[in-house]
């Protein structure tokens, strides 16, 4: 029997902008790329970018490409996801030392025949 497997190869780079007087990063741009080789589906090429303002707001966009993604499902497309993605995070510090955080995450992924996939999450770091 063949086992399903995949290999991910990726890279990312942070670009920091405008440091304040206490040497904390106030703005950041992260650029990332990834290649996924699947054993039973199409290989995927993914690009993404995230802009972060301090540690309070992060905005993300991305795109995922695979062979046949522009075809209809009837003409050979193997996935419902059609490429573009976007999302954001709002993160607030709390506690005595303000080292703990509470975050709300939202993401959207375009799909066809559906009307897209929306994901909402909450995170507490103590």
């Amino acid at each position: 029997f063949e086992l399903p497997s995949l290999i991910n190869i990726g890279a990312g780079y942070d670009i920091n902008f405008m440091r304040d007087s206490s040497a904390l990063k106030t703005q950041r741009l992260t650029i990332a790329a990834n290649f996924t080789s699947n054993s039973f589906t199409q290989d995927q090429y993914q690009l993404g970018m995230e802009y972060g303002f301090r540690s309070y707001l992060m905005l993300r966009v991305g795109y995922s490409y695979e062979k046949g993604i522009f075809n209809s499902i009837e003409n050979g497309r193997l996935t419902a996801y059609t490429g573009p993605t976007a999302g954001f995070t709002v993160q607030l510090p709390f506690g005595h030392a303000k080292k703990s955080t509470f975050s709300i995450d939202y993401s959207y992924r375009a799909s066809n025949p559906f009307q897209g996939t929306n994901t909402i999450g909450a995170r507490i770091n103590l």
Side-chain angles (χ1 to χ4, degrees), residues 94-108:
F94 70 93
H96 295 293
K98 302 226 179 212
K99 291 186 178 182
S100 299
T101 59
F102 174 75
S103 305
I104 298 290
D105 297 314
Y106 170 78
S107 65
Y108 174 80

Side-chain angles (χ1 to χ4, degrees), residues 44-47 62-66 69 81-85 109:
Q44 296 175 334
Y45 303 88
Q46 299 148 338
L47 295 172
Y63 191 82
S64 180
Y65 173 80
E66 64 183 59
I69 200 167
Y81 294 116
T82 55
T85 63
R109 191 167 183 187

Side-chain angles (χ1 to χ4, degrees), residues 49-110:
M49 193 176 339
E50 179 182 73
Y51 168 76
F53 178 74
R54 296 191 183 250
S55 294
Y56 302 122
L57 177 67
M58 283 67 76
L59 304 171
R60 292 177 290 279
V61 295
Y63 191 82
S64 180
Y65 173 80
E66 64 183 59
K67 183 178 177 184
I69 200 167
F70 299 114
N71 298 337
S72 65
I73 290 180
E74 296 83 20
N75 290 331
R77 190 176 75 224
L78 300 177
T79 181
Y81 294 116
T82 55
T85 63
F88 67 88
T89 298
V90 176
Q91 181 170 276
L92 302 171
F94 70 93
H96 295 293
K98 302 226 179 212
K99 291 186 178 182
S100 299
T101 59
F102 174 75
S103 305
I104 298 290
D105 297 314
Y106 170 78
S107 65
Y108 174 80
R109 191 167 183 187

Side-chain angles (χ1 to χ4, degrees), residues 13-17 27-31:
Y13 186 75
D14 286 339
I15 302 168
N16 295 309
F17 301 101
Q27 295 186 47
R28 170 187 49 81
L29 181 67
T30 301
I31 300 169

